[in-house]
Amino acid sequence: MRETTLRDVADLAGVSPRTVSNVVNGYAKVTDSTRAKVEAAIAELGYRPNVLARNLATGRSGQIVVVVPYLDTPYFAELLQAIIPAARKLGYNVLIDQTDGDRQHEGELIGRGSRRHLFDGMIISPLGLAQEDLTARDPSLPLVVLGERVSDGTFDHVGIDDVAASTEAVAHLIAIGRRRIAAIGDQPYPTGEAAQLRTRGFRAAHEAAGLPVDESLIIGTARFNRIDGATAMTALLDRADPPDAVFCYSDLVASGAIHTVLGRGLRVPEDIAVIGYDDIEDGRYSQPTISTISPDKKAIAQLAVDRLVLRIAASEPIPGVELRAPHELVPRQSTLGY
Amino acid sequence: MRETTLRDVADLAGVSPRTVSNVVNGYAKVTDSTRAKVEAAIAELGYRPNVLARNLATGRSGQIVVVVPYLDTPYFAELLQAIIPAARKLGYNVLIDQTDGDRQHEGELIGRGSRRHLFDGMIISPLGLAQEDLTARDPSLPLVVLGERVSDGTFDHVGIDDVAASTEAVAHLIAIGRRRIAAIGDQPYPTGEAAQLRTRGFRAAHEAAGLPVDESLIIGTARFNRIDGATAMTALLDRADPPDAVFCYSDLVASGAIHTVLGRGLRVPEDIAVIGYDDIEDGRYSQPTISTISPDKKAIAQLAVDRLVLRIAASEPIPGVELRAPHELVPRQSTLGY
DNA sequence: AGTTCCGATTGCAGCGCTGCAAAGGACTAT
DNA sequence: ATAGTCCTTTGCAGCGCTGCAATCGGAACT
């Protein structure tokens, strides 16, 4: 049995298909009586519009794609959880792609891919986009980038003020009396700009407090996972002069670091205070609970979606902007104690 | 500038649009020379097929939707991470929906929704489907259900053997010498069948060991979150006769329970041993690491996707089947100690 | 050489909807 | 009564592709 179409409804209601379309879309001026007739017919036949056909006719898919490195990283999962309803509210479905942290994959996604017609725009949270990825990108693809700051001026960024947030985090460690503070997560190469901003905040806080920075306490990591935090922390604890506090560039890193500290029989925060970044749900339940920088994920999601939809609707290319979502310092047990 | 179409390619290659279509789809018998001509034209024009148009013509969207209650629940995130590549490999894109744990929302999704045309099939991991949800469901929607066992015989289930797995978990607790074992997560009502299977395993293990079950140690929870575990554990510890081990129906519940135990100054596993369910990544890094039942998520994903695609391709309705993925017991610190 | 056969290629029609512009109808103004 | 105005409704064409069945051309056979 065929699905009922616009035409079926039109026949039953005694109007033209075009009028049914107008009713369905809430468009134009339709008399109340006509609308009533059509709606009755729709209800009677159980009609539902064929989105595929609409997509072809309008040339728009009504879908946006969100690209994240890993779905099972809590920060991204929580972000997605915020993006999906925000997009849905504006009439967009969300497709999700994960790159598995593969930069080449990221480059392909913003390039001229064969799936281009499936989405009207893209929100991407890259691990690190290189300049050459950008030049190869499909110029017809409305794009909003989360986190990264690199840009060619044709797309938008949404993020928090990483430098300010990092400065606050480290200032907090200083405020609770710590003087030898380590940083875990630096990435001193072109695609690691997000990490570098945090390192900049780390330095700024020291400077503001008149403290010297021990460069050897800035530990680089390839990623922001638990294992990276655990590994880095092991190296720090193996030193003759271990730190008394650690600023971790993600809560996962902090979790891994704490794991190592406790495993050595040391205490958090008494021996080593730890602060993270992202405010993932885990950190509120782990033992100890993790002090952190909490980005306003709902705001990030809303800003990104709004901006993307604006960009999709725009007939002219619009210049890229930098959008800042709020953040706040959330001290918990890993710095304050119990 | 218009996107290049099939017709443009055809004109350049000097063949009919239909032949270009054949080449693009790898269909039929196309001479090598023709294929070469067409491919050259495609490359020259940078042609990419319009998926929207194809969708309309074929009546298929090439998308499947995966519905989970919460995206930021690690178990579901990890499952999705496995489903997406499995689907992609078979040529399907994955749409993701979250129901926020709203059963009504679940019912609507499998009902005659307006987004029906957007996907060819659905994999749903329900919090609990009631029989009436099933009767209202859209019979044209190929469906694979994860976890739940309720069925009307028109769709498939994929899951692990919950009873066997739960039995193993509790047997493990018994094997390490525990005799007063609690269970956290029971849901003794129609939509809580998944939980009830675990309770059944809990009983089976006791019976096999000749131990009596203390019914008052079976604690119900509305959900499987950390907070539920923490709350339930608090109740257990407030008793005059607290348990010496706990079987939690998810790793999150276990995490919350452990949090409470440690917060009381008690030790895990010395005072109370804890075992969870799901093997989420967290459990491998928390303090202590969490013993658990590890479902083979890749197998679940593969089985679900394969079966769904089969169902989509089928011309006749095919009867629902029960598919079992492997699982294994993974003992860690929360039962074995350090 | 004529006929048959078979695989490669083509043409047509249509998937169900919307953009556009024109037609139709009711109502007002003269 | 007639023309003008404005708003609702309509018809047409087409979005870009594929299903189907017909066609074409060359090879094989008699």
Side-chain angles (χ1 to χ4, degrees):
Chain A
M1 197 194 64
R2 228 180 73 262
E3 280 261 315
T4 61
T5 73
L6 208 57
R7 157 149 274 114
D8 299 327
V9 177
D11 290 346
L12 179 61
V15 299
S16 79
R18 197 62 187 79
T19 297
V20 178
S21 172
N22 285 338
V23 171
V24 169
N25 293 288
Y27 275 162
K29 303 105 205 304
V30 180
T31 333
D32 286 346
S33 70
T34 312
R35 164 165 289 115
K37 265 191 307 184
V38 172
E39 280 170 351
I42 288 177
E44 180 173 344
L45 296 175
Y47 168 73
R48 55 186 170 192
N50 186 325
V51 194
L52 262 38
R54 177 183 298 165
N55 289 350
L56 179 61
T58 59
R60 318 207 303 93
S61 70
Q63 300 191 133
I64 64 176
V65 62
V66 180
V67 180
V68 296
Y70 308 95
L71 249 179
D72 59 3
T73 296
Y75 176 71
F76 294 121
E78 292 178 15
L79 199 54
L80 279 167
Q81 179 129 310
I83 290 176
I84 292 176
R88 183 69 49 79
K89 202 168 297 172
L90 294 178
Y92 283 89
N93 275 297
V94 175
L95 278 166
I96 294 176
D97 255 333
Q98 45 178 356
T99 60
D100 289 318
D102 181 11
R103 288 208 174 111
Q104 192 184 345
H105 192 162
E106 287 177 0
E108 282 166 12
L109 278 168
I110 64 169
R112 300 184 21 85
S114 64
R115 305 194 311 133
R116 172 65 183 86
H117 299 278
L118 281 177
F119 37 83
D120 300 331
M122 175 182 292
I123 296 176
I124 185 169
S125 180
L127 273 187
L129 281 173
Q131 200 60 45
E132 59 264 32
D133 295 329
L134 293 179
T135 50
R137 91 184 189 85
D138 185 337
S140 79
L141 176 66
L143 187 66
V144 171
V145 175
L146 303 182
E148 293 284 318
R149 293 288 181 274
V150 56
S151 173
D152 62 359
T154 62
F155 54 88
D156 310 299
H157 285 303
V158 178
I160 65 170
D161 185 336
D162 279 305
V163 177
S166 304
T167 306
E168 288 169 39
V170 176
H172 171 61
L173 295 175
I174 294 172
I176 61 172
R178 306 306 161 119
R179 289 298 174 268
R180 276 187 64 70
I181 303 175
I184 301 180
D186 192 35
Q187 299 178 335
Y189 37 81
T191 55
E193 211 203 339
Q196 290 161 37
L197 294 173
R198 298 178 194 183
T199 302
R200 201 184 304 167
F202 176 79
R203 293 183 195 283
H206 279 78
E207 190 167 340
L211 285 176
V213 169
D214 181 342
E215 294 293 332
S216 70
L217 289 180
I218 301 177
I219 312 291
T221 62
R223 310 227 224 122
F224 284 180
N225 285 340
R226 284 198 178 83
I227 186 67
D228 302 305
T231 306
M233 197 71 220
T234 299
L236 284 170
L237 293 181
D238 282 343
R239 294 168 54 123
D241 53 352
D244 58 9
V246 188
F247 169 41
C248 297
Y249 289 13
S250 86
D251 280 357
L252 285 182
V253 168
S255 169
I258 290 173
H259 188 243
T260 297
V261 173
L262 298 180
R264 294 270 183 128
L266 297 171
R267 293 159 306 160
V268 175
E270 293 82 351
D271 298 310
I272 301 192
V274 177
I275 190 166
Y277 207 100
D278 289 344
D279 191 21
I280 63 177
E281 204 213 347
D282 279 51
R284 300 201 270 275
Y285 290 92
S286 62
Q287 185 74 7
T289 56
I290 302 177
S291 301
T292 194
I293 291 294
S294 178
D296 186 335
K297 301 190 192 81
K298 279 203 178 152
I300 293 174
Q302 195 65 55
L303 284 169
V305 171
D306 285 350
R307 186 72 191 172
L308 184 62
V309 170
L310 177 76
R311 201 166 262 286
I312 290 169
S315 43
E316 298 291 297
I318 53 180
V321 298
E322 197 72 44
L323 296 169
R324 287 285 159 78
H327 67 268
E328 66 176 326
L329 171 71
V330 181
R332 298 206 181 97
Q333 294 171 350
S334 71
T335 55
L336 298 182
Y338 295 81
Chain B
M1 196 196 64
R2 228 181 74 262
E3 281 261 315
T4 61
T5 72
L6 208 57
R7 157 148 275 111
D8 299 326
V9 176
D11 289 346
L12 179 61
V15 298
S16 80
R18 198 61 188 79
T19 298
V20 178
S21 172
N22 285 338
V23 170
V24 169
N25 293 289
Y27 274 164
K29 302 106 204 307
V30 179
T31 335
D32 287 347
S33 70
T34 312
R35 164 165 289 118
K37 266 191 307 186
V38 172
E39 280 170 351
I42 288 177
E44 180 172 343
L45 296 176
Y47 168 74
R48 54 186 171 192
N50 186 326
V51 194
L52 263 40
R54 176 181 299 164
N55 288 350
L56 179 60
T58 58
R60 317 207 303 95
S61 70
Q63 299 191 135
I64 64 176
V65 62
V66 180
V67 180
V68 296
Y70 307 95
L71 206 46
D72 59 3
T73 297
Y75 175 71
F76 295 121
E78 293 178 14
L79 199 54
L80 278 167
Q81 178 129 310
I83 290 176
I84 293 176
R88 183 68 49 78
K89 203 167 296 172
L90 293 179
Y92 284 88
N93 275 296
V94 174
L95 278 165
I96 294 176
D97 255 334
Q98 45 178 357
T99 60
D100 288 319
D102 182 11
R103 289 210 174 108
Q104 193 184 346
H105 192 162
E106 287 176 0
E108 282 166 12
L109 278 169
I110 64 169
R112 299 183 23 84
S114 64
R115 306 195 309 132
R116 172 64 183 86
H117 298 279
L118 282 178
F119 37 82
D120 300 329
M122 176 183 292
I123 295 176
I124 186 169
S125 180
L127 273 188
L129 281 173
Q131 200 60 45
E132 59 264 32
D133 296 328
L134 292 179
T135 50
R137 90 184 190 86
D138 186 338
S140 79
L141 177 65
L143 186 66
V144 170
V145 175
L146 303 183
E148 293 284 318
R149 295 285 182 275
V150 55
S151 173
D152 62 359
T154 63
F155 54 87
D156 309 300
H157 285 305
V158 177
I160 64 170
D161 184 336
D162 278 304
V163 178
S166 304
T167 307
E168 287 169 40
V170 177
H172 171 62
L173 295 175
I174 295 172
I176 61 171
R178 306 307 162 118
R179 290 298 174 269
R180 275 188 64 70
I181 303 174
I184 302 180
D186 192 36
Q187 299 179 335
Y189 36 82
T191 55
E193 211 204 338
Q196 291 162 36
L197 293 174
R198 298 179 195 183
T199 303
R200 200 182 308 165
F202 176 79
R203 293 184 196 283
H206 279 77
E207 189 167 340
L211 286 176
V213 170
D214 182 343
E215 293 293 333
S216 70
L217 289 180
I218 301 177
I219 313 292
T221 62
R223 308 230 225 121
F224 284 179
N225 285 340
R226 283 198 178 83
I227 186 68
D228 302 304
T231 305
M233 197 70 223
T234 299
L236 284 170
L237 293 180
D238 282 343
R239 295 167 55 122
D241 52 352
D244 58 9
V246 188
F247 169 41
C248 298
Y249 290 12
S250 86
D251 280 357
L252 285 181
V253 168
S255 168
I258 290 173
H259 189 242
T260 297
V261 174
L262 298 180
R264 294 272 182 124
L266 298 171
R267 293 159 304 160
V268 174
E270 291 83 351
D271 298 311
I272 301 193
V274 178
I275 190 165
Y277 207 101
D278 288 346
D279 191 21
I280 64 178
E281 204 213 347
D282 279 51
R284 300 200 271 275
Y285 289 93
S286 61
Q287 186 72 10
T289 55
I290 302 178
S291 301
T292 194
I293 290 294
S294 177
D296 186 336
K297 302 190 192 81
K298 281 204 177 151
I300 293 174
Q302 195 65 55
L303 284 169
V305 170
D306 285 349
R307 186 73 191 171
L308 184 62
V309 170
L310 178 76
R311 203 166 261 289
I312 291 169
S315 44
E316 297 291 298
I318 53 180
V321 297
E322 196 72 43
L323 297 169
R324 286 287 159 77
H327 67 268
E328 65 176 324
L329 170 71
V330 180
R332 297 205 182 97
Q333 294 171 349
S334 70
T335 55
L336 297 182
Y338 296 80

